[in-house]
Amino acid sequence: MINSDSFQKALHTLEFDKILDMLCSCCRLESGCERIRKTVPLTDGHEILRLLKQTSEAKALLAVKGAPSMSAHISMPDIVSRAEKGAVLTPGELLRVASMLSSASAIKSFGEKANENSMLFPIFSHMLPNKQLDQSITHAIENEDMISDDASDELNSIRRKIRNSGARIRETLSKYTGGAYSTYLQDNIITIRNGRYVVPVKVEYKNEVKGLVHDTSSSGATVFIEPLAVVELNNDIKMLENEEHREIERILTQLSFDVAAYADSLLLDYMNITEMSVIFAKAELSFKLNAAEPKLNLNGYSHFIKARHPLLEKEKVVPIEIMLGGNFDTLVITGPNTGGKTVSIKTFALLAMMAQSGFHIPADEGSEFCVYKDILCDIGDEQSIEQSLSTFSSHMINIISILKRCGEGSLALFDELGAGTDPVEGAALAVSILEYVKRSGAKCLATTHYAELKTYALETDRVENASCEFDINSLKPTYRLIIGTPGRSNAFLISERLGLDTSIIKHAETLIDTSSLRFEKVVEKLEADRIAMEESRRIAEKQRDETGRMHSDALEERDRLIASAQKELERAKTEATRLIKTAKAQSDAIFIELSELKNKSTDDLLKDDLDAKRAAFRDSLRGIEKEIDNRDMPEPDDDYILPRELVKGDKVLVVLGNDKKKHGVVEKVNGDEASVICGSIRMKLKTKALRLVSGLAAAESNAVKRSATSSLRPSVKSEIDLRGLTGEDAWFSTDKYLDDAILGGLNSVTLIHGKGTGALRKAMWDYLKRDSRVASYRMGAYGEGDSGVTVVEFKKKK
């Protein structure tokens, strides 16, 4: 973890806190946001990789299943701590514990199929759902202001007595609201004052109703009297309410004790749920930024492809490609003002920070990053009026601090290095600073206008120029970063386009040092050559894409024609086979008749003639069949070339000359000779005398056969959900499912019918006990689904 004043300043300068704000907006838990705000880039490569893989796995889950249900109130550690100290938790606090336990159970189920090698598996596996405590709380507490009647038998009994006493009071007071006393009442209603049932009596009749006065209306026209007839009943209710309060206190105390007993597991769930909320927030931010997981490079090389500053509008930001640490360790970026130089170095550093924090970065797949032990920057206007420091002095204080800390594994950023003072001295100082940073072993990105730094980058090993492209026709920057080419100031050209008198510009050119002017001309030519080369490359890529498309179309057409020809060949062979079978059937009938005729005949000559004709007929049929079988064999061809090298087991056609052909199987291949078995004969032949009949080698053919055989076995789940179905409909689905399960090789399955009234389970059992496929069945055990499922064992095949 990087932690220094200079680095904290870099985090603020590069606006890493705004990235954390974006992440917080994607996080569903306040506890997760609290952790996110403490995020700082890490320096442990293994830990960074773990975080990146977690983000990638969560992103994949988010795309397929969405995010799991999560709840973990930020005060949970305090709630658990209070329970451990013996405090009685409020209903609201207990409900927050139950909500978190419910989330733990949901997350556990969400990740039940996670692979053990998954980076999220440790979190899923360490979730400790406590259904018993969860149900105890939710059964006892309806909401923050209401304890359920069913929280205990004692509470249920007390509240029933309170309701009965209230009913007797209302019955007694109804004599006042509906009888002769009603004329004394302000309204014919029963109300409550100070927790006691009273009636509203007109003040002038207060002596007519014997009882206790509990209140007076604001106007003084009404007094609220508790008649003597209900005083005892009200007292009973008060006593019952005290008992109710004590019972509620006992229930909350017991539940608080249970929370304290499971304090460790509750805190572990809290930490895991909080961590899960942060991971899924990173995944959601990845989708939001159209980001990708970068690769960790262990050789000090970073390369961001089509990198986009995450805080700029996606529709307006121009992607850049920027690298550092490969062929060069220092990159000097030049170009006009507002051309994107500062944004370029900020983008690089900010993406490095995001990657080292386990975030996906807004760059294309294949981007790489290395771990920086420290990130130091001098960016922006640092003028301080309070300290009476000029811009140059403020920058120099920052630079001095950077030079003291930079070293192997550091990243230093300098914006407009050497600006704010005499150009000659500023340029010399800038070159000297870059040289010092280079010697320290740190990586460096610097922006400048000085031509001396462009020259330094051209002449110095492991230092490279880059420029922010400028469209001279529109007088606007394109914000593209071009590595390898220094940028031009374009001051004269821009001034001329804006209308400055040509004579002034020409005079200004004469005032420039000859070597500087010559250097600018060289840069101008390099820029022109680069633009021409990029245009040529664009045209070449377009032609290559067109050629590739034509080649792809040609391959598709070839495959289509081959498939069509193969299909036609198969159809012809099928038709020929059908004709052969028909001919054989007809010939068998004729043979039977001929045999009968032969047996009846006494003429030996006739018998011999019949035998000869029958043999000739069979030879003819065999010839036709052989011709059909040879339809897919290659014809002898002097120019024939084997489509691939022969291997043992290949089926071949042996060309013996005079159009004679024999089938054979390759036994051994040795250079241009092969040993071939034809029937009972083994021959050694040149491979040019062989024609490959089968396009697949024997091993490949067997693999295809095995694949085809295995594909016949269906893939069947080990459970079927029947909830919501009637008995007949459920069995209709189950009957077919059992067949599929047996065919799929399962030994047992689970029928999910739910608990409910038990009618569906009974119906299933009635069918199962008569089913010949079933060896046994039983109710699910604890952890399998209890009485909500039935486990069925199949009979073993003999």
Side-chain angles (χ1 to χ4, degrees), residues 1 16 20 24 31-41:
M1 182 183 298
F16 185 71
L20 299 184
C24 280
S31 61
C33 287
E34 186 180 56
R35 180 176 294 189
I36 286 169
R37 292 189 182 96
K38 298 176 182 177
T39 299
V40 292

Side-chain angles (χ1 to χ4, degrees), residues 4 142 298 359 365 367 400 539 550 590 599 628 680 703:
S4 66
E142 292 184 4
L298 301 177
F359 296 11
E365 296 279 353
S367 294
I400 291 169
I539 294 172
M550 292 171 64
I590 293 171
N599 292 333
I628 292 169
S680 60

Side-chain angles (χ1 to χ4, degrees), residues 3-233:
N3 193 6
S4 66
D5 292 340
S6 299
F7 181 69
Q8 291 299 324
K9 183 175 182 179
L11 288 176
H12 175 72
T13 302
L14 296 169
E15 300 178 294
F16 185 71
D17 56 324
K18 292 185 179 179
I19 301 297
L20 299 184
D21 289 341
M22 291 175 67
L23 186 59
C24 280
S25 69
C26 298
C27 186
R28 306 184 181 191
L29 299 183
E30 188 179 354
S31 61
C33 287
E34 186 180 56
R35 180 176 294 189
I36 286 169
R37 292 189 182 96
K38 298 176 182 177
T39 299
V40 292
L42 306 175
T43 56
D44 183 342
H46 293 293
E47 180 66 10
I48 293 169
L49 275 179
R50 185 181 71 84
L51 296 180
L52 285 172
K53 293 300 179 187
Q54 284 182 342
T55 304
S56 296
E57 289 179 19
K59 187 176 181 181
L61 288 172
L62 200 60
V64 177
K65 300 171 64 175
S69 173
M70 287 182 277
S71 175
H73 200 274
I74 194 170
S75 63
M76 189 57 58
D78 293 335
I79 292 173
V80 175
S81 176
R82 288 183 59 239
E84 285 187 295
K85 293 175 182 176
V88 178
L89 302 180
T90 66
E93 290 173 331
L94 288 167
L95 285 176
R96 284 194 279 276
V97 172
S99 176
M100 188 188 74
L101 287 172
S102 178
S103 288
S105 181
I107 293 173
K108 186 81 171 180
S109 299
F110 184 88
E112 62 183 354
K113 295 183 180 179
N115 188 289
E116 290 186 6
N117 296 323
S118 164
M119 291 297 176
L120 295 178
F121 181 78
I123 303 177
F124 289 133
S125 61
H126 287 121
M127 284 293 177
L128 300 173
N130 190 329
K131 290 185 178 180
Q132 183 178 356
L133 180 57
D134 183 8
Q135 291 174 357
S136 296
I137 295 173
T138 53
H139 180 75
I141 305 174
E142 292 184 4
N143 55 54
E144 293 192 10
D145 302 315
M146 176 62 68
I147 305 300
S148 171
D149 290 354
D150 298 326
S152 72
D153 293 338
E154 180 66 18
L155 183 62
N156 199 338
S157 174
I158 292 171
R159 286 182 172 174
R160 186 168 61 251
K161 291 176 182 178
I162 290 174
R163 288 192 293 270
N164 291 338
S165 296
R168 289 200 300 273
I169 290 174
R170 284 190 293 272
E171 183 180 354
T172 302
L173 292 181
S174 65
K175 298 175 183 178
Y176 289 86
T177 58
Y181 284 100
S182 62
T183 57
Y184 304 147
L185 303 184
Q186 193 72 257
D187 295 297
N188 291 330
I189 60 170
I190 300 170
T191 185
I192 295 177
R193 285 293 185 276
N194 300 323
R196 304 178 75 87
Y197 286 91
V198 296
V199 289
V201 180
K202 294 176 183 177
V203 68
E204 58 268 26
Y205 298 118
K206 66 179 182 179
N207 295 324
E208 302 297 328
V209 179
K210 302 302 180 182
L212 304 175
V213 177
H214 283 278
D215 199 5
T216 304
S217 67
S218 57
S219 63
T222 304
V223 290
F224 296 94
I225 297 176
E226 177 188 5
L228 293 176
V230 298
V231 169
E232 196 62 33
L233 289 172

Side-chain angles (χ1 to χ4, degrees), residues 714 716-722 730-752 763-777 790-795 797:
V716 185
K717 291 184 177 179
S718 61
E719 62 184 28
I720 181 172
D721 194 342
L722 306 172
W731 181 250
F732 179 80
S733 299
T734 303
D735 190 27
K736 181 179 182 304
Y737 169 69
L738 295 182
D739 283 338
D740 292 341
I742 293 171
L743 185 60
L746 299 181
N747 296 321
S748 66
V749 295
T750 301
L751 311 182
I752 304 173
M764 289 295 98
W765 285 23
D766 288 341
Y767 285 114
L768 290 171
K769 68 184 178 182
R770 299 193 299 271
D771 196 297
S772 60
R773 296 166 294 185
V774 176
S776 65
Y777 57 88
T790 294
V791 179
V792 180
E793 300 284 343
F794 294 127
K795 291 181 178 178
K797 295 181 180 179

Side-chain angles (χ1 to χ4, degrees), residues 218-353:
S218 57
S219 63
T222 304
V223 290
F224 296 94
I225 297 176
E226 177 188 5
L228 293 176
V230 298
V231 169
E232 196 62 33
L233 289 172
N234 268 326
N235 288 339
D236 290 343
I237 288 179
K238 274 294 183 184
M239 292 176 64
L240 288 170
E241 286 177 344
N242 289 334
E243 290 182 25
E244 177 192 29
H245 178 74
R246 286 195 297 271
E247 179 61 15
I248 289 174
E249 191 73 11
R250 186 195 68 77
I251 292 168
L252 295 178
T253 300
Q254 180 60 49
L255 292 174
S256 300
F257 177 80
D258 293 342
V259 169
Y262 293 106
D264 290 341
S265 63
L266 289 172
L267 290 175
L268 182 61
D269 281 344
Y270 172 77
M271 289 189 297
N272 283 329
I273 293 172
T274 298
E275 184 176 358
M276 191 65 75
S277 72
V278 174
I279 293 169
F280 274 87
K282 290 179 182 178
E284 194 167 322
L285 182 63
S286 180
F287 276 116
K288 192 173 181 180
L289 295 176
N290 191 24
E293 178 189 345
K295 299 177 183 177
L296 176 60
N297 185 288
L298 301 177
N299 299 317
Y301 174 61
S302 294
H303 180 196
F304 298 130
I305 305 168
K306 291 189 176 179
R308 305 171 298 279
H309 195 290
L311 299 178
L312 298 179
E313 294 183 39
K314 287 194 292 186
E315 295 76 16
K316 295 182 179 180
V317 64
V318 177
I320 63 170
E321 182 169 1
I322 185 168
M323 62 199 74
L324 187 65
N327 297 324
F328 51 89
D329 300 322
T330 301
L331 187 65
V332 178
I333 305 175
T334 51
N337 289 328
T338 69
K341 298 190 302 298
T342 304
V343 171
S344 294
I345 62 174
K346 278 188 171 183
T347 299
F348 183 92
L350 191 54
L351 264 56
M353 287 180 171

Side-chain angles (χ1 to χ4, degrees), residues 524-655:
E524 181 180 355
K525 186 176 185 306
L526 285 173
E527 179 69 7
D529 290 345
R530 182 190 62 79
I531 293 172
M533 185 175 63
E534 285 196 354
E535 179 64 19
S536 299
R537 185 178 65 181
R538 186 187 64 78
I539 294 172
E541 287 178 352
K542 183 178 179 182
Q543 291 174 344
R544 183 194 63 193
D545 292 342
E546 181 66 20
T547 302
R549 186 187 63 77
M550 292 171 64
H551 179 65
S552 178
D553 292 345
L555 290 178
E556 288 181 6
E557 180 64 15
R558 183 202 66 181
D559 292 343
R560 186 189 67 78
L561 291 173
I562 291 174
S564 177
Q566 186 66 31
K567 187 176 180 182
E568 183 64 24
L569 179 60
E570 290 297 327
R571 188 196 64 77
K573 290 182 66 175
T574 302
E575 179 63 18
T577 303
R578 186 187 65 79
L579 292 174
I580 286 294
K581 288 181 179 179
T582 302
K584 282 184 176 180
Q586 292 174 351
S587 69
D588 289 342
I590 293 171
F591 288 154
I592 292 170
E593 292 179 7
L594 289 174
S595 295
E596 290 176 354
L597 182 60
K598 174 183 175 182
N599 292 333
K600 291 177 182 179
S601 174
T602 58
D603 188 342
D604 292 337
L605 291 175
L606 178 58
K607 289 181 179 180
D608 293 340
D609 188 43
L610 287 172
D611 286 339
K613 288 185 178 180
R614 181 165 57 184
F617 186 51
R618 282 176 172 163
D619 288 341
S620 176
L621 284 176
R622 280 196 292 269
I624 295 172
E625 188 173 5
K626 185 175 182 182
E627 182 180 349
I628 292 169
D629 289 339
N630 290 337
R631 286 282 297 274
D632 61 341
M633 294 182 184
E635 291 298 324
D637 182 3
D638 292 339
D639 296 328
Y640 177 81
I641 299 175
L642 285 168
R644 60 172 172 78
E645 291 184 2
L646 295 175
V647 296
K648 182 179 178 180
D650 275 341
K651 294 178 181 180
V652 293
L653 188 68
V654 181
V655 181

